[in-house]
């Protein structure tokens, strides 16, 4: 509502720092081979600070190498 005001700077700084920490944690998880955890951490970082430098690159790199199949249906199958 009031961009650039001093009142919101501490909150914005804290959100940006938390998103940066999540991004670093996601990169570490990716190096350890924990891609689902890395994807979750990147989503959380994007929720906190979408314009974080390097975030979109990391999301694109990980999503390209690890795909999740999501299936939807109207009801639960009865005979499976």
């Amino acid at each position: 509502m009031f961009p650039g005001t001093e009142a919101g700077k501490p909150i914005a700084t804290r959100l940006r720092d938390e998103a940066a920490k999540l991004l670093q944690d996601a990169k570490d998880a990716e190096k350890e081979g924990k891609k689902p955890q890395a994807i979750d951490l990147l989503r959380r970082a994007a929720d906190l600070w979408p314009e974080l430098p390097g975030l979109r690159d990391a999301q694109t790199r990980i999503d390209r190498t690890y795909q999740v199949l999501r299936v939807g249906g109207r009801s639960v199958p009865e005979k499976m």
Side-chain angles (χ1 to χ4, degrees), residues 26-56:
K27 288 179 181 179
D28 294 341
E30 179 188 13
K31 287 178 186 175
E32 295 172 5
K34 300 177 182 177
K35 300 234 175 169
Q37 181 183 1
I39 291 171
D40 181 52
L41 290 168
L42 289 173
R43 284 189 187 133
R44 289 173 46 198
D47 287 342
L48 291 176
W49 200 262
E51 292 92 22
L52 186 68
L55 179 64
R56 295 289 172 216

Side-chain angles (χ1 to χ4, degrees), residues 5-78:
T5 61
E6 293 296 321
K9 283 192 179 184
I11 296 169
T13 301
R14 199 166 104 205
L15 289 173
R16 190 177 325 114
D17 292 344
E18 181 65 26
K21 182 183 177 307
L22 289 170
L23 175 60
Q24 185 58 46
D25 291 346
K27 288 179 181 179
D28 294 341
E30 179 188 13
K31 287 178 186 175
E32 295 172 5
K34 300 177 182 177
K35 300 234 175 169
Q37 181 183 1
I39 291 171
D40 181 52
L41 290 168
L42 289 173
R43 284 189 187 133
R44 289 173 46 198
D47 287 342
L48 291 176
W49 200 262
E51 292 92 22
L52 186 68
L55 179 64
R56 295 289 172 216
D57 295 334
Q59 284 179 321
T60 303
R61 184 180 64 249
I62 292 175
D63 283 344
R64 188 176 334 128
T65 60
Y66 184 82
Q67 295 294 319
V68 176
L69 175 64
R70 293 191 170 97
V71 179
R74 297 186 122 191
S75 63
V76 178
E78 293 178 13

